[in-house]
Amino acid sequence: MKKITSLIALAVLLLASCSKPARIITAHSYEELKGTVIGTYNGATVERILSSHAEECGYRVEYHTDPASIIQGLKNGSIDLMTVRFPEFKAYMHSIPGLYLVWDSLVVDDQFVLMSMKNNELKDQFNEWLELPETRQMIQDSKDYWLRPYGTPDPAPKDYDVPTGGEPIHIASSFTVVGTTYISNGKPAGVDIDVLYGFAKYAGRPVELLNMPTLSILAAVQTGQIDMGVSGFAMRNDGSMNENMLVSDPYNRASHALVGYSEELAVQQMKEAGLYKETNFFSNVSDAFRRTFIEEDRWQMIAGGLWLTVRISFCSLVFGTLLGALICAMRLSRRRFISGTAKVYVEIMRVVPILVFLMIMYYAVFSSMGVSGEVVSVIALSMSMAAFVGDVFCMAIQGIDRGQREAGYALGFSKKQTFFNIILPQAARSAQAVYNGQVIAMIKATSIIGYIAVLDLTKAMDIIRSRTFDAFFPFIAAAVIYYLITVVFVRLIGWLLDMTLPKKGSAVAPELVIKPAKKTNAPVSWEHSVQDRETVLSVNGLRKVFEDGVTVLKNITTDIHKGDVVSIIGPSGTGKSTFLRCLNKLETSTEGTVTMHGISEDEMRRHMGMVFQSFNLFEHLTVLENVCIGPMKLLHKSREEAEMRGMELLSAVGMANKATYMPGQLSGGQKQRVAIARCLSMDPEVILFDEPTSALDPTMINEVLTVIRELAARGMTMLIVTHEMKFARNVSNRVFFMNQGVIYEEGTPQQIFTEPQREETKRFIQGISKFDYSIVRDYDYIDMSNCLEQFLMHHMIPQPVVDRTMAAVEELLQLFRNGSGCVARIEAGACLTVRYIEQSQSTELQLSYSDKLPQILSDTGREDDLSITLLRSYTSVLEESAGRLYAKIQSD
């Protein structure tokens, strides 16, 4: 990056150093200017006259804001001529060889001092002073002193003798016109400065001199921010300046001239003055550096501007961030008035240019309060930055998955604790890049604060540019300095985030922790009946109605006893997950109560863990930190104690070797096992599992179910919403079948799965062991194959049976579509049914089709068909009757 920046800077400097020789132009009428490009000041008297003849006479007028830009255009050939007052031309000749006079009397105008409407007495006093003979002589002497030809020594800045006590006169000037008003050796200099200090001495008042661009001076005078403004102002023909401000009598009269530039003439003049020397690219860069930083100790002005820029940037960063956080909080508020107010504020700040907003704040809002430009700059930049930062924070917070909050609540964190421990660190990380961009934009925006009399880095470079007439090097130097400022600020922000946000890594090395817990394959059993065991959780009349009026839960009443493993089954959309969420207070029930023995409602979450189907691991923390955050923040355990316990739990679920991994580096099954370990870290009395395997691939399901089976064998009280019927049958002592928002039927696994009492339960049990798929002309074989494999894996059928079943289905459908009468078969279609036989852990296949079609296996000449041979090898039974082909795949 540094090399690229250096190359860009050198390329720009090379372009700047390659001037284009200009032709010598002579003209004494507008017609003779045909084909030229003329640079002038926007709003100047001569600009209106030139523009009025441009189209008719065939030349073009280009508008600039300062002399340095026009002179640079002359030197590189982008413009041919420039307008300048004739006395100032003498000052330019003193600094810039090669300038020559083309037309010396384009127009003559008078220069005035502008004053605010409240200073009528000051105006009269100034006009009286101008009438004095010694004043006129002083002005003439000042012109002779400051306006000298090229090659003569630089005029030395003057020390002005003015009073130091009393009410000061607030005066503003642009300091960009050499000879008239500029900075020399760090001091104000020029004819206009002599006039101002001469009057101040006459008035017996001190001077407070401000540096402002010309347009800002006009605004400051009109609002009364300053008393007097001097920057070569001339009266318009219509006298319009009198409408909003006072105008003094003219203190100077000067003619406007047209000036050109010739490189050959420049060489000749330098040789005559004994100042010519051969140059190359590197010497040009060296000279530019010397003129910008060394001469007249200009580095001091740059250092002062840099320090001011850094101060304003830092304060704006702090206050803008704090105000942005407030805007974010308002945007997230559920109260429409608060969120609406924040939204309106953001919309306004988005569309109002920062320069316009800065001018309004300084010249309108704070004009009568005496607030300094530095303070106004901080306020304006902070308010502008806050609008964008608030949006960035808001989007980052809203972008955090809802499950992260719910996982925090499930551990027992309050809303405030969840926000600061879980949401804010993640939002800060995700928003960091965009936030850095806003910080950089704010720092760059400080380049405009010179419009309100603040001598920042850019303004300092602008003043230096007006002295050196180098339009490139000072700004390139400013660009490099701004780059360094932004790098420092961005690095500082990154360092602060690293210091305040959770650190990656662990104080406990995984290899030093105890060996993984020994697995047990002991069957799950319950020595006592339900009535003999202590009641842990009581649910009474639980009802949940959502805002749209849908009733999800209807009067659920039940007790959960110590050591219970309750599997909750049923069709999708019957309220199973909502039931668990109401138990853990993630959803607020409409009616009814949920109580735990001797535990208040506020403390209930800490004693009731929850494992989610989407894992909801905290993405900004390592595996071990996920497990330790709850004990450290809520149970107030030491880091070492929490990590030792965390490693024990990770060992128990087979994840100790992944302790320093981030969640994004884990598979689904591994994430769910870590989620279980995190849940166990809070030593819960009850664990709620909300479809813990639904988001997993079939190959990962066994990883999680094995861990849950281990917990059941150790006597953990659990409620499990699951679609794994075999698992539910083997691990549970109670099964809830939920339908239409109620516990439709409850009993032991044996009762529910083999002897259900109610019709809906019977229909559901029969349906979950059967897979149906319609085979039509354009059916999707890949979709059918994936669905069938999911069905087989969810029933935990042995892998050999799954493989043979899948292969048999493939061959069976191949035969169906390719036998005699295949067109008729395709048109008629068929239905594929796969049944799971739990007792024998086998599958049965049945393909049903029209009995009017030829039978598949008995087609003439198909006995030796490879598909039939393979099909017979996969199946233990293969039978066919009219419109039906049956096959059975055994487990052995």
Side-chain angles (χ1 to χ4, degrees):
M1 186 66 187
K2 293 180 180 178
K3 292 182 179 179
I4 295 175
T5 305
S6 301
L7 289 174
I8 293 174
L10 288 174
V12 175
L13 288 172
L14 181 61
L15 291 174
S17 65
C18 297
S19 59
K20 175 183 175 182
R23 55 191 171 91
I24 299 292
I25 300 173
T26 58
H28 295 87
S29 67
Y30 295 109
E31 289 77 10
E32 292 179 274
L33 297 175
K34 183 177 182 179
T36 62
V37 179
I38 302 174
T40 186
Y41 310 120
N42 191 15
T45 307
V46 69
E47 174 263 319
R48 290 191 296 276
I49 297 174
L50 281 173
S51 299
S52 65
H53 297 282
E55 184 175 355
E56 174 187 355
C57 298
Y59 60 84
R60 181 164 60 87
V61 179
E62 243 184 38
Y63 305 102
H64 295 258
T65 58
D66 59 81
S69 299
I70 306 178
I71 292 173
Q72 186 63 45
L74 277 179
K75 295 173 72 174
N76 63 31
S78 61
I79 61 175
D80 301 305
L81 302 171
M82 70 174 287
T83 64
V84 63
R85 287 189 177 91
F86 190 74
E88 294 165 7
F89 169 60
K90 294 181 180 179
Y92 293 152
M93 289 182 65
H94 168 70
S95 303
I96 309 167
L99 293 181
Y100 64 91
L101 190 62
V102 177
W103 190 353
D104 63 355
S105 57
L106 212 58
V107 64
V108 177
D109 61 20
D110 293 323
Q111 294 176 261
F112 304 86
V113 174
L114 303 181
M115 303 183 192
S116 65
M117 297 295 288
K118 66 181 181 180
N119 287 318
N120 200 60
E121 293 183 4
L122 191 67
K123 170 193 169 185
D124 294 339
Q125 191 177 18
F126 183 79
N127 290 339
E128 291 174 0
W129 175 71
L130 287 178
E131 295 297 326
L132 299 175
E134 54 267 28
T135 299
R136 293 296 177 184
Q137 184 61 47
M138 184 274 292
I139 294 176
Q140 184 58 50
D141 293 342
S142 178
K143 291 180 183 179
D144 295 339
Y145 183 80
W146 295 111
L147 307 178
R148 301 186 181 186
Y150 177 74
T152 57
D154 287 335
K158 298 180 179 180
D159 292 323
Y160 298 100
D161 181 20
V162 295
T164 57
E167 179 68 22
I169 305 175
H170 298 88
I171 305 175
S173 188
S174 61
F175 296 100
T176 56
V177 183
V178 174
T180 302
T181 169
Y182 67 111
I183 300 293
S184 177
N185 288 294
K187 297 180 180 180
V191 177
D192 287 354
I193 304 302
D194 284 354
V195 171
L196 294 175
Y197 277 101
F199 170 67
K201 183 177 181 180
Y202 171 79
R205 296 171 62 180
V207 172
E208 184 175 322
L209 198 57
L210 303 175
N211 189 331
M212 290 185 179
T214 301
L215 294 178
S216 297
I217 294 175
L218 294 174
V221 170
Q222 292 180 31
T223 59
Q225 200 95 347
I226 59 175
D227 299 312
M228 304 173 69
V230 182
S231 187
F233 294 113
M235 178 68 71
R236 295 182 179 178
N237 295 333
D238 57 5
S240 58
M241 279 192 178
N242 286 319
E243 296 178 2
N244 301 307
M245 62 194 81
L246 301 175
V247 179
S248 73
D249 292 340
Y251 68 90
N252 191 20
R253 169 167 286 192
S255 63
H256 283 271
L258 276 181
V259 174
Y261 173 80
S262 168
E263 187 172 352
E264 291 80 4
L265 180 59
V267 172
Q268 178 184 341
Q269 290 177 343
M270 287 188 288
K271 286 181 177 179
E272 291 175 354
L275 301 175
Y276 178 77
K277 60 180 180 179
E278 295 289 342
T279 62
N280 53 37
F281 170 74
F282 295 102
S283 64
N284 286 339
V285 172
S286 175
D287 287 344
F289 182 86
R290 175 181 51 79
R291 291 194 302 270
T292 301
F293 290 93
I294 307 303
E295 286 185 359
E296 299 182 358
D297 290 331
R298 289 171 185 153
W299 65 268
Q300 296 182 359
M301 185 187 302
I302 295 173
L306 171 60
W307 174 232
L308 181 64
T309 298
V310 170
R311 287 203 313 267
I312 292 176
S313 297
F314 179 79
C315 293
S316 300
L317 169 64
V318 174
F319 292 119
T321 301
L322 294 176
L323 184 57
L326 176 61
I327 296 297
C328 173
M330 293 174 67
R331 289 289 300 272
L332 296 174
S333 173
R334 294 184 179 181
R335 298 184 179 181
R336 290 188 176 182
F337 174 76
I338 296 177
S339 60
T341 301
K343 185 176 181 180
V344 170
Y345 173 83
V346 170
E347 290 298 325
I348 291 174
M349 296 307 301
R350 276 178 174 172
V351 299
V352 177
I354 181 61
L355 176 57
V356 175
F357 182 67
L358 181 68
M359 300 280 277
I360 292 173
M361 294 293 288
Y362 187 71
Y363 295 116
V365 178
F366 293 102
S367 61
S368 61
M369 299 182 186
V371 181
S372 69
E374 181 176 350
V375 174
V376 174
S377 298
V378 171
I379 293 173
L381 292 174
S382 298
M383 292 178 66
S384 177
M385 179 183 176
F388 297 96
V389 168
D391 257 5
V392 170
F393 288 172
C394 190
M395 288 186 292
I397 291 172
Q398 291 177 330
I400 303 300
D401 186 73
R402 179 184 176 186
Q404 296 289 295
R405 292 180 175 84
E406 293 183 344
Y409 300 155
L411 279 177
F413 285 114
S414 65
K415 287 187 177 181
K416 181 179 178 180
Q417 289 172 322
T418 299
F419 178 79
F420 285 103
N421 289 286
I422 308 302
I423 304 303
L424 185 59
Q426 296 186 58
R429 287 295 185 192
S430 64
Q432 184 178 0
V434 183
Y435 175 75
N436 286 346
Q438 294 300 328
V439 171
I440 292 171
M442 181 274 295
I443 294 173
K444 292 192 296 184
T446 60
S447 62
I448 65 172
I449 61 179
Y451 278 89
I452 59 170
V454 176
L455 188 58
D456 68 304
L457 175 62
T458 303
K459 185 64 178 177
M461 289 297 188
D462 200 28
I463 292 174
I464 292 172
R465 192 171 64 107
S466 71
R467 289 285 284 121
T468 63
F469 300 104
D470 186 345
F472 288 95
F473 192 88
F475 283 160
I476 290 173
V480 173
I481 295 172
Y482 271 109
Y483 170 77
L484 297 175
I485 294 173
T486 57
V487 168
V488 171
F489 272 71
V490 169
R491 295 285 175 85
L492 176 63
I493 292 168
W495 177 78
L496 288 174
L497 283 177
D498 291 338
M499 290 292 292
T500 56
L501 296 183
K503 298 179 176 63
K504 301 295 178 286
S506 165
V508 178
E511 61 269 16
L512 300 180
V513 185
I514 60 171
K515 296 180 179 179
K518 185 179 180 180
K519 302 290 182 181
T520 176
N521 294 318
V524 180
S525 62
W526 292 267
E527 299 177 357
H528 306 288
S529 64
V530 169
Q531 290 78 10
D532 295 334
R533 287 182 278 118
E534 176 188 359
T535 299
V536 176
L537 193 64
S538 294
V539 182
N540 186 25
L542 192 65
R543 186 168 178 266
K544 175 63 179 178
V545 181
F546 285 118
E547 293 180 357
D548 57 4
V550 176
T551 301
V552 183
L553 301 178
K554 305 173 184 177
N555 194 31
I556 295 180
T557 299
T558 188
D559 291 331
I560 307 300
H561 303 88
K562 185 175 179 62
D564 272 351
V565 178
V566 181
S567 290
I568 305 173
I569 64 173
S572 297
T574 56
K576 302 185 298 298
S577 295
T578 303
F579 175 51
L580 291 192
R581 293 171 65 83
C582 285
L583 295 182
N584 203 31
K585 307 299 181 182
L586 292 178
E587 294 282 356
T588 303
S589 58
T590 307
E591 294 178 10
T593 60
V594 178
T595 58
M596 290 186 76
H597 60 92
I599 298 174
S600 66
E601 187 172 329
D602 293 337
E603 293 290 322
M604 194 179 297
R605 275 182 179 161
R606 295 191 185 183
H607 297 267
M608 187 189 303
M610 189 163 185
V611 178
F612 300 86
Q613 59 180 321
S614 53
F615 326 124
N616 292 344
L617 295 182
F618 303 136
E619 298 295 332
H620 64 298
L621 301 178
T622 64
V623 166
L624 183 56
E625 288 168 341
N626 264 273
V627 177
C628 294
I629 186 171
M632 290 173 62
K633 299 292 184 180
L634 298 174
L635 303 182
H636 308 293
K637 293 185 178 181
S638 67
R639 181 178 179 87
E640 183 178 359
E641 182 183 4
E643 288 188 342
M644 289 297 295
R645 172 61 174 159
M647 289 303 300
E648 291 178 6
L649 293 172
L650 290 174
S651 297
V653 298
M655 291 297 295
N657 61 330
K658 306 290 185 181
T660 57
Y661 281 43
M662 299 301 292
Q665 298 174 282
L666 305 180
S667 67
Q670 291 171 333
K671 289 180 180 179
Q672 198 63 291
R673 284 187 279 161
V674 173
I676 293 172
R678 181 180 65 184
C679 178
L680 292 172
S681 69
M682 296 298 293
D683 297 321
E685 293 187 49
V686 179
I687 299 181
L688 310 177
F689 289 89
D690 185 11
E691 301 188 38
T693 60
S694 64
L696 302 178
D697 293 332
T699 55
M700 300 178 184
I701 292 175
N702 281 333
E703 296 180 11
V704 176
L705 296 184
T706 299
V707 174
I708 298 176
R709 187 180 290 108
E710 290 286 333
L711 295 176
R714 296 175 188 177
M716 175 62 71
T717 305
M718 297 183 288
L719 282 80
I720 308 168
V721 173
T722 183
H723 292 290
E724 310 296 337
M725 297 301 113
K726 182 178 179 181
F727 170 78
R729 182 169 184 169
N730 292 340
V731 80
S732 309
N733 69 316
R734 299 170 68 186
V735 176
F736 293 170
F737 172 67
M738 291 191 66
N739 190 37
Q740 298 181 356
V742 299
I743 299 178
Y744 186 79
E745 186 169 350
E746 174 185 354
T748 65
Q750 178 69 20
Q751 291 170 338
I752 297 298
F753 287 106
T754 61
E755 300 173 0
Q757 301 299 306
R758 306 186 68 177
E759 289 301 320
E760 289 297 329
T761 312
K762 292 178 182 178
R763 189 176 295 113
F764 175 78
I765 297 301
Q766 291 173 357
I768 61 175
S769 60
K770 183 177 70 171
F771 172 83
D772 288 319
Y773 202 94
S774 296
I775 308 300
V776 296
R777 170 183 282 274
D778 296 321
Y779 83 101
D780 188 339
Y781 175 79
I782 295 177
D783 175 67
M784 182 280 301
S785 181
N786 288 336
C787 292
L788 176 58
E789 186 174 21
Q790 290 283 343
F791 167 78
L792 297 172
M793 297 300 291
H794 271 294
H795 282 281
M796 302 178 68
I797 299 173
Q799 190 61 45
V801 178
V802 173
D803 294 339
R804 289 199 296 270
T805 301
M806 297 296 295
V809 168
E810 181 179 1
E811 298 302 334
L812 185 59
L813 294 178
Q814 182 75 13
L815 286 169
F816 174 74
R817 295 177 64 86
N818 293 331
S820 61
C822 63
V823 175
R825 292 184 193 281
I826 293 172
E827 293 295 337
C831 179
L832 174 67
T833 300
V834 180
R835 295 180 184 277
Y836 165 59
I837 310 302
E838 183 179 357
Q839 290 80 358
S840 60
Q841 293 193 2
S842 60
T843 58
E844 294 180 347
L845 311 182
Q846 181 173 295
L847 187 67
S848 302
Y849 53 93
S850 174
D851 58 4
K852 297 179 180 180
L853 295 172
Q855 295 191 28
I856 297 173
L857 298 181
S858 60
D859 284 350
T860 303
R862 300 194 67 182
E863 287 297 328
D864 295 332
D865 190 297
L866 178 60
S867 293
I868 295 178
T869 303
L870 291 173
L871 187 58
R872 292 187 185 281
S873 69
Y874 297 144
T875 60
S876 59
V877 177
L878 186 61
E879 302 174 346
E880 185 179 23
S881 58
R884 174 181 174 275
L885 192 150
Y886 169 82
K888 185 173 183 179
I889 294 92
Q890 297 283 18
S891 61
D892 50 354

